[in-house]
Structure formats: structure tokens, C-alpha cells
């Protein structure tokens, strides 16, 4: 087997181990599990109608996986810190987000290789997210973000694979996959529209580069394939939502179906947008969008007796280093010290499309909303490093040195990631006053 393929597989296995190890701990409801747990129980077991500001697709998938792995419902997710009953399979509830989170570094490696980045720097791009504390923690809970990010990366990598395919069946097969994953990304959170947005910009850019009748015809054909497959998945998730949730529940306050499914779906979107916009409650751990690149305000997720803590706090080298590299890259391009190539254009587009929508959101937002833009910003820096580091020997030293530093900081901050931090760790880990 190809040695580099083995390395990619190794990245996946290490990422999976980091996310699955001790995943049943803590055996208490952590942060947003108090909300998402109710939805999972409804979709898998009680079938009571519920309402959420996010589309249902990822929650249905998590519920399906939880049911297959032994979760049978009966738990009310009443409050953060609530102890899971003995018969509740916590692993089943958290399994799919962890699996999706493990695939993120693997997909990063694939994407960077597709963009022409060297093998060494592609490995580095994957490794920094294998060992990012925030990405690991978010993967170990009932959450939607890892599914959103994996679907977004899968959309882009599938589309790029379609463009490189040498035969029509292969090309259209990858396009169908790309469209389906774009539909899933949108069906996870509305910000998942960024996945389709990046692909749309790529398609338009390719036509503008080769403005011929043949390229226009191919653009229309590919666009239709992508759109239809995305609509099938997106619409199908909503149909499943109404088919599954047949019993009266708390969601009836927001919408009680009329049996005409298409009308229900349209009406529900208006209700969701209104509810999202009108969320005015403040939160002590919310943060402004402009503060995310400097990781100013982490999120306090959980505390147990004995003063054990969980904080959504990223690996400082990944978050701060990624921001510095991103700004450096932009300055280098503007000053014409570096050239804007296709890889940088794609990744910068991804950053802008995934970040800008948050600027106008009036409700409380949190640091984890920056996960997708952060990923793109780090990858921009990886591509730039691959340009400026000409020799493999130099690249190897950078990869080894950076990897050692990232792993070292991961170990240092791991008590806040895995929940075994105590009061004594505050002195060592809370570097900024705003982190408390």
C-alpha cells in the first residue's frame, strides 16, 4: 500500500483515538447537550414534535446512530450537570459527532493534497487539527459543529475530485456526492451554506477563466447535478423530520403541521429565521465576532464536584499562530511578495464566506462559531508556508518543530479538554484575564 496513504490513515486513527478515549466522561449533561439531547431523544425514541433554530438533518443522523448503538430514550436532559441514568448509553449519544470530528483532519490532508500542497505541509495541516483542544472537545459532545465542518470539507474535496476525474461517470459521481454533502452542511446549520458558496465561486471562476460556449454548457450541467443532489438531501431531511415527529410536543407552540409537507417546510423556515433573529438573551461566555481570531473569550462548558472543569479553549499555537499566519499571508499577497494562486483563492474565499455572515447576527454568539473560519485561516497559512519554504529539509524541520510544539500545548491544556482540571490548573492555563 502507498506509504502516504498509510500516513493519511494513521492521521484518521490518531484523531479517532483522541476523540473517542473516555468519551463517556463526564457522565453528566455538558453545555448544549441540554438542548440537543432533547432533540435526539425526540427523533430516535419519543417522536414528540420539537423546535430548533437549526435544520434537523444532523440531529436525525445523531439520533439514528444513537439508536443503533443502544440509546432508547427516557432521559429528559433537564439541566447542565444532570447525571446520566445508569441505563443511558453516553457513548451512543456522542459517537457520531466524535466520528465526524475524527474525519476533519483526514479531509484536511486530502484537501491540501488536492490543492497541490506538498506532502510534508499537508501532514502538518492535518496534525494541528488532530491536536487542537477546542476541536477535540467539541467532537466529544452531542453537538452539530463537527458534522457541519466535515460536510463542508467533504463538499469541497468532492468537487475538486470531480474536476480532476478523467471520465464522465466518475465526474458526475463526485458531483452528486459534493451536492449531497452541501445539502447536509446546510441541513446542519444555515451557516453551512458556505459549503455550496465556495463551490459556486469555484464554478463561476472557472467559467470566467475560460468563457466559451462549451464551458458554459458544462457549468450548467454540473450546476444542475449539484443543485438537484443538494435539494434531494436538504428536502429529504425535512420530510424525515415531519415523518418522524408525529406526536404532540413542545414544538407545537411554534408550528403544528397541516399535513401539507411542502407548505410546512416553507412556513417552518420563516419561523426559524424569526426565532433566530429575536434571540436577545445574553450569556456570560458569549463573545463578539471580532474577538474570535485572538481567542479572547473561551466558553465554560461544565463543572463537577471536586472542581473539575471543561472549557472550550483552543490550542493557543493553532488559534493564535493561525491568525498570525493568515494576516501575514494577506499582507504578503497585497504587497506582492507572494502570488495569489488557486489554492489560496479557494481557502480565502472559504474564510470570507464562512465568517462574514456572523458579523450581522444580533443574538449571542460563542467562540465555537469561529471553528470553520479558523480552519480556513490556518490552511491559508499552510499553503503560504509551502510557497515560501523552498527546500524539503527546511519544510521537514518546520513540520517537526511545529508538531512538537502543538502536541506539547495540547498536553498542557488537555485537563480543560478532558475534564480533569482542578482549581490548581487555573494558575497555569488561564493565561488571559478574559479566559476566566
Amino acid at each position: 500500500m502507498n506509504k502516504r496513504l498509510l500516513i493519511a490513515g494513521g492521521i484518521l486513527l490518531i484523531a479517532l483515538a483522541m476523540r473517542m478515549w473516555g468519551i463517556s466522561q463526564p457522565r453528566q449533561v455538558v453545555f448544549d447537550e441540554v438542548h440537543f439531547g432533547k432533540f435526539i431523544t425526540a427523533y430516535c425514541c419519543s417522536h414528540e414534535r420539537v423546535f430548533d433554530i437549526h435544520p434537523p438533518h444532523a440531529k436525525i443522523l445523531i439520533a439514528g446512530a444513537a439508536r443503533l448503538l443502544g440509546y432508547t430514550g427516557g432521559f429528559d436532559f433537564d439541566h447542565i450537570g444532570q447525571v446520566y441514568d445508569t441505563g443511558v448509553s453516553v457513548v451512543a449519544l456522542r459517537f457520531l459527532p466524535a466520528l465526524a470530528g475524527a474525519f476533519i483532519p483526514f479531509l484536511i490532508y486530502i484537501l491540501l493534497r488536492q490543492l497541490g500542497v506538498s506532502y510534508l505541509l499537508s501532514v502538518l495541516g492535518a496534525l494541528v487539527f488532530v491536536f487542537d483542544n477546542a476541536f477535540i472537545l467539541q467532537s466529544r459532545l452531542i453537538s452539530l459543529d463537527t458534522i457541519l465542518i466535515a460536510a463542508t470539507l467533504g463538499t469541497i474535496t468532492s468537487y475538486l475530485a470531480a474536476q480532476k476525474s478523467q471520465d464522465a461517470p466518475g465526474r458526475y459521481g463526485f458531483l452528486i456526492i459534493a451536492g449531497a454533502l452541501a445539502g447536509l452542511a446546510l441541513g446542519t446549520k444555515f451557516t453551512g451554506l458556505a459549503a455550496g458558496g465556495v463551490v459556486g465561486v469555484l464554478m463561476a471562476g472557472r467559467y470566467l477563466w475560460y468563457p466559451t460556449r462549451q464551458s458554459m454548457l458544462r457549468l450548467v450541467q454540473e450546476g444542475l447535478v449539484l443543485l438537484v443532489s443538494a435539494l434531494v438531501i436538504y428536502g429529504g431531511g425535512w420530510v424525515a423530520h415531519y415523518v418522524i415527529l408525529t406526536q404532540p410536543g413542545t414544538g407545537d407552540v411554534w408550528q403544528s403541521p397541516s399535513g401539507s409537507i411542502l407548505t410546512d417546510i416553507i412556513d417552518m423556515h420563516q419561523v426559524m429565521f424569526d426565532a433566530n433573529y429575536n434571540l436577545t438573551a445574553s450569556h456570560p461566555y458569549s463573545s463578539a465576532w471580532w474577538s474570535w481570531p485572538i481567542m479572547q473569550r473561551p466558553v465554560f462548558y461544565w463543572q463537577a464536584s471536586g472542581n473539575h472543569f471543561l472549557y472550550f479553549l483552543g490550542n493557543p499555537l493553532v488559534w493564535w499562530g493561525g491568525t498570525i499566519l493568515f494576516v501575514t499571508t494577506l499582507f504578503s499577497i497585497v504587497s506582492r511578495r507572494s502570488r495569489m494562486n488557486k489554492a489560496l483563492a479557494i481557502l480565502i474565499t472559504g474564510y470570507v464566506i464562512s465568517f462574514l455572515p456572523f458579523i450581522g447576527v444580533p443574538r449571542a454568539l460563542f467562540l465555537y462559531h469561529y471553528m470553520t473560519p479558523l480552519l480556513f485561516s490556518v490552511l491559508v497559512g499552510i499553503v503560504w508556508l509551502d510557497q515560501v519554504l523552498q527546500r524539503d529539509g527546511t519544510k521537514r524541520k518546520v513540520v517537526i518543530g511545529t508538531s512538537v510544539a502543538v502536541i506539547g500545548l495540547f498536553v498542557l491544556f488537555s485537563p480543560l479538554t478532558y475534564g480533569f482540571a482542578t482549581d490548581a490548573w487555573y494558575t497555569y492555563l488561564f493565561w488571559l484575564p478574559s479566559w476566566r
Side-chain angles (χ1 to χ4, degrees), residues 135-203:
F135 272 69
I136 292 173
L137 175 55
Q138 201 69 2
S139 302
R140 293 167 53 81
L141 305 173
I142 308 171
S143 70
L144 311 182
D145 298 283
T146 56
I147 297 174
L148 169 67
I149 296 170
T152 299
L153 288 171
T155 299
I156 299 170
T157 57
S158 297
Y159 177 76
L160 293 175
Q163 299 312 304
K164 294 181 180 180
S165 180
Q166 300 298 315
D167 59 275
R171 181 169 71 253
Y172 285 107
F174 280 119
L175 287 172
I176 291 171
I177 295 172
L181 289 172
L184 174 59
L186 179 59
T188 301
K189 290 186 175 182
F190 288 125
T191 51
L193 187 61
V198 172
V199 170
V201 170
L202 285 174
M203 295 176 67

Side-chain angles (χ1 to χ4, degrees), residues 27-315:
R27 280 194 63 86
Q28 294 183 14
V29 176
V30 177
F31 200 64
D32 276 346
E33 288 188 335
V34 75
H35 304 298
F36 293 128
K38 291 183 176 73
F39 304 140
I40 303 311
T41 299
Y43 285 114
C44 85
C45 309
S46 71
H47 308 297
E48 295 175 358
R49 286 187 286 272
V50 290
F51 173 79
D52 187 21
I53 59 173
H54 304 302
H57 298 54
K59 298 186 287 287
I60 292 173
L61 291 178
I62 296 172
R67 186 61 186 243
L68 287 174
L69 293 173
Y71 179 64
T72 57
F75 189 74
D76 60 4
F77 293 91
D78 182 66
H79 59 274
I80 297 173
Q82 180 183 9
V83 178
Y84 283 109
D85 295 339
T86 304
V88 173
S89 175
V90 182
V91 174
L93 288 166
R94 295 171 177 168
F95 173 79
L96 192 62
L99 183 64
F103 268 94
I104 289 172
F106 175 81
L107 289 168
I108 287 171
Y109 173 80
I110 299 299
L111 175 60
L112 289 173
R113 293 296 291 151
Q114 287 177 318
L115 295 176
V117 176
S118 70
Y119 163 69
L120 286 169
L121 269 297
S122 296
V123 170
L124 178 61
L127 281 179
V128 296
F129 286 100
V130 169
F131 293 101
D132 179 73
N133 300 74
F135 272 69
I136 292 173
L137 175 55
Q138 201 69 2
S139 302
R140 293 167 53 81
L141 305 173
I142 308 171
S143 70
L144 311 182
D145 298 283
T146 56
I147 297 174
L148 169 67
I149 296 170
T152 299
L153 288 171
T155 299
I156 299 170
T157 57
S158 297
Y159 177 76
L160 293 175
Q163 299 312 304
K164 294 181 180 180
S165 180
Q166 300 298 315
D167 59 275
R171 181 169 71 253
Y172 285 107
F174 280 119
L175 287 172
I176 291 171
I177 295 172
L181 289 172
L184 174 59
L186 179 59
T188 301
K189 290 186 175 182
F190 288 125
T191 51
L193 187 61
V198 172
V199 170
V201 170
L202 285 174
M203 295 176 67
R206 195 178 75 249
Y207 171 71
L208 292 174
W209 193 258
Y210 301 105
T212 65
R213 181 179 178 183
Q214 183 178 2
S215 63
M216 172 56 79
L217 179 61
R218 180 170 173 172
L219 178 70
V220 172
Q221 291 173 339
E222 292 183 356
L224 285 174
V225 172
L226 289 164
L227 181 62
V228 170
S229 57
L231 287 176
V232 167
I233 296 300
Y234 187 71
W238 277 106
V239 171
H241 166 83
Y242 286 108
V243 169
I244 294 170
L245 303 185
T246 57
Q247 301 302 312
T250 56
D252 289 339
V253 174
W254 299 89
Q255 183 193 52
S256 183
S258 62
S260 175
I261 287 182
L262 180 59
T263 302
D264 292 335
I265 294 173
I266 295 172
D267 291 343
M268 178 57 85
H269 278 72
Q270 184 61 55
V271 173
M272 292 167 68
F273 288 134
D274 290 343
N276 198 354
Y277 188 83
N278 291 319
L279 284 174
T280 57
S282 61
H283 193 283
Y285 287 91
S286 64
S287 54
W289 60 269
W290 51 263
S291 71
W292 297 340
I294 58 174
M295 200 169 61
Q296 182 187 45
R297 186 63 167 163
V299 189
F300 176 40
Y301 270 8
W302 171 84
Q303 179 179 1
S305 58
N307 292 328
H308 292 267
F309 305 97
L310 282 175
Y311 270 83
F312 181 87
L313 179 63
N315 188 311

